Amino acid sequence: MTPATEPLLAGTPLLASSHRDPLRASGNPVRWGVVATGRIASIVTSDLALLPDAVLHAVSSRSRAGAEEFAARHGFRRAYADDDGGLPGYVQLIQDPDVDIVYIATPHASHFSVAKAALEAGKHVLCEKPITLNARDAAVLAGLARRKGLFLMEAVWTRFLPSMQRAAEIIASGELGEVRSVQADLGFPAPRYPGARLWQRAAGGGALLDVGVYPLTWALIALGAPQSLTAAAHVNGDGVDAETAVTLSYSSGAFAQFLVSLTTVSTQTATVSGTNGMLRCNAPLFNPTELALTFGSGETRVETFVHAGHGYIYQLREVIRCLQLGLTESPTMPLDDTLTAMSLLDEVRRQAGITYPSDSPGATDRLAAQAGGSACREY
């Protein structure tokens, strides 16, 4: 397997101590537009509202009623909808001259088309993970953002949590010795009902792209990009991966293994093992509040964390800080890291037989055009 980009180094750039207080304003207000009004959009918006230099400017939805209800509940100034009789709601939002940055919380399959439209309109973008369904489309967005000098970031919020920043700090310090293995699992029984996004292949459903980035993040922080990988999955009759298992191998002999599942109850923890000690987080591994360290000497230590809001606030603070400083990428979540991760996920899908309708060249835009306003389906 050859990654699509240069392999990222083990570890993730740490936030400076002065940037770790999310409730401290860091500059001029930034006006946000939120595309979609579903569960994740609501949770992230509630954290965004806690930031003193964030302005909740506009929201878009399929329906006028949904847009207005969301706007009233969270305090947005404007609401746009697909059923206004003209342009789709998200297009109206993107064309609003008072929107500085667009947060995209639509289903996976529409991330590319909405993000591309926003960047082409000159808007900065924070897009929910996965940024696209494949590395090819992610590279298109990254190239477009870089050419236009616009900020673009995949919303891998876990990287910015105080607990994850501390885990990266411990690993980088050498306290664990040479890291030799990472093991992580993230499984839960996902409800199945008509239209359930996680079980729809066309929507980019399945365990891998929905939650695979979280255990993968632990591996990349501890060991960097692998030299090779092997993967297997249980793909159901609808073409959705219900479980996927991955082993990442390194030239040093180290390895990382992770399992993601939409059918089983798992520990939802990650363990990083080194020659001097072991670090284990509590569940869930995407938002841990405890790091337990055990050393060969018999010494143990537990570090605990209290996260502000729902935890998304730390990535939101970083996005605002970057915009205020004129940065087009976050040093903690740069686009090259996103491209590396997406190329790894592409290889997992290739080996495991996980495919999406958008995989063929040009299919993403074609499917989005066919879908019309439904690209903004509530999430």
Side-chain angles (χ1 to χ4, degrees):
M1 181 213 64
T2 302
T5 63
E6 290 295 322
L8 84 166
L9 299 176
T12 187
L14 298 174
L15 294 170
S17 58
S18 60
H19 303 154
R20 295 189 185 188
D21 179 3
L23 300 179
R24 180 189 302 170
S26 53
N28 294 326
V30 173
R31 299 167 298 184
W32 289 74
V34 174
V35 177
T37 54
R39 176 180 173 273
I40 191 63
S42 184
I43 295 172
V44 172
T45 296
S46 67
D47 273 12
L48 189 59
L50 299 175
L51 299 174
D53 44 0
V55 177
L56 302 183
H57 180 72
V59 63
S60 70
S61 179
R62 286 181 298 166
S63 71
R64 166 56 49 185
E68 290 184 346
E69 188 281 329
F70 192 93
R73 175 156 44 99
H74 292 286
F76 283 89
R77 297 173 177 177
R78 297 176 187 169
Y80 299 103
D82 288 7
D83 57 11
D84 287 341
L87 296 171
Y90 80 91
V91 176
Q92 297 176 60
L93 182 146
I94 288 167
Q95 293 181 352
D96 187 328
D98 294 326
V99 170
D100 297 317
I101 182 166
V102 177
Y103 167 60
I104 299 169
T106 60
H108 305 342
S110 58
H111 287 179
F112 175 78
S113 57
V114 178
K116 184 168 178 280
L119 291 169
E120 289 174 338
K123 303 300 185 185
H124 304 293
V125 171
L126 172 65
C127 184
E128 267 304 328
K129 54 79 190 167
I131 191 168
T132 56
L133 296 186
N134 55 60
R136 180 198 65 226
D137 288 347
V140 170
L141 294 183
L144 178 60
R146 285 167 169 166
R147 287 194 302 274
K148 296 178 73 69
L150 294 168
F151 180 89
L152 172 64
M153 192 180 90
E154 183 182 24
V156 184
W157 61 294
T158 298
R159 281 200 180 205
F160 300 92
L161 293 170
S163 57
M164 289 296 292
Q165 287 282 303
R166 177 58 179 151
E169 189 175 57
I170 291 170
I171 293 166
S173 74
E175 188 176 10
L176 301 179
E178 180 187 358
V179 174
R180 302 297 300 162
S181 71
V182 177
Q183 293 181 308
D185 65 81
L186 183 51
F188 56 94
R192 299 193 69 157
Y193 52 87
R197 175 184 61 83
L198 288 177
W199 295 103
Q200 290 188 20
R201 176 173 172 267
L208 180 67
L209 289 195
D210 196 69
V211 297
V213 68
Y214 295 125
L216 178 60
T217 293
W218 277 94
L220 296 179
I221 287 175
L223 290 167
Q227 276 60 57
S228 63
L229 68 78
T230 56
H234 167 222
V235 179
N236 68 14
D238 296 323
V240 173
D241 67 297
E243 292 94 19
T244 298
V246 180
T247 297
L248 309 176
S249 300
Y250 297 80
S251 58
S252 65
F255 65 89
Q257 296 177 313
F258 70 83
L259 171 70
V260 288
S261 174
L262 298 182
T263 63
T264 61
V265 177
S266 79
T267 68
Q268 299 191 0
T269 62
T271 302
V272 179
S273 299
T275 53
N276 293 339
M278 174 184 72
L279 180 154
R280 183 181 178 88
C281 75
N282 68 336
L285 59 80
F286 54 80
N287 189 14
T289 56
E290 182 178 292
L291 301 176
L293 292 96
T294 304
F295 300 94
S297 63
E299 176 192 357
T300 61
R301 185 173 83 242
V302 175
E303 299 186 15
T304 59
F305 305 84
V306 177
H307 294 153
H310 295 90
Y312 298 93
I313 193 169
Y314 300 97
Q315 80 167 358
L316 298 171
R317 163 55 59 212
E318 171 67 357
V319 171
I320 290 175
R321 184 188 73 85
C322 289
L323 293 181
Q324 291 166 339
L325 292 176
L327 302 178
T328 57
E329 297 186 33
S330 165
T332 303
M333 187 62 215
L335 290 174
D336 280 349
D337 283 15
T338 286
L339 297 178
T340 296
M342 290 305 305
S343 71
L344 293 171
L345 295 176
D346 275 5
E347 177 62 13
V348 171
R349 293 203 298 118
R350 186 191 69 80
Q351 291 190 24
I354 304 167
T355 63
Y356 297 111
S358 61
D359 284 339
S360 61
T364 308
D365 281 329
R366 186 167 62 252
L367 290 169
Q370 293 171 354
S374 67
C376 194
R377 183 175 293 113
E378 292 180 336
Y379 179 28

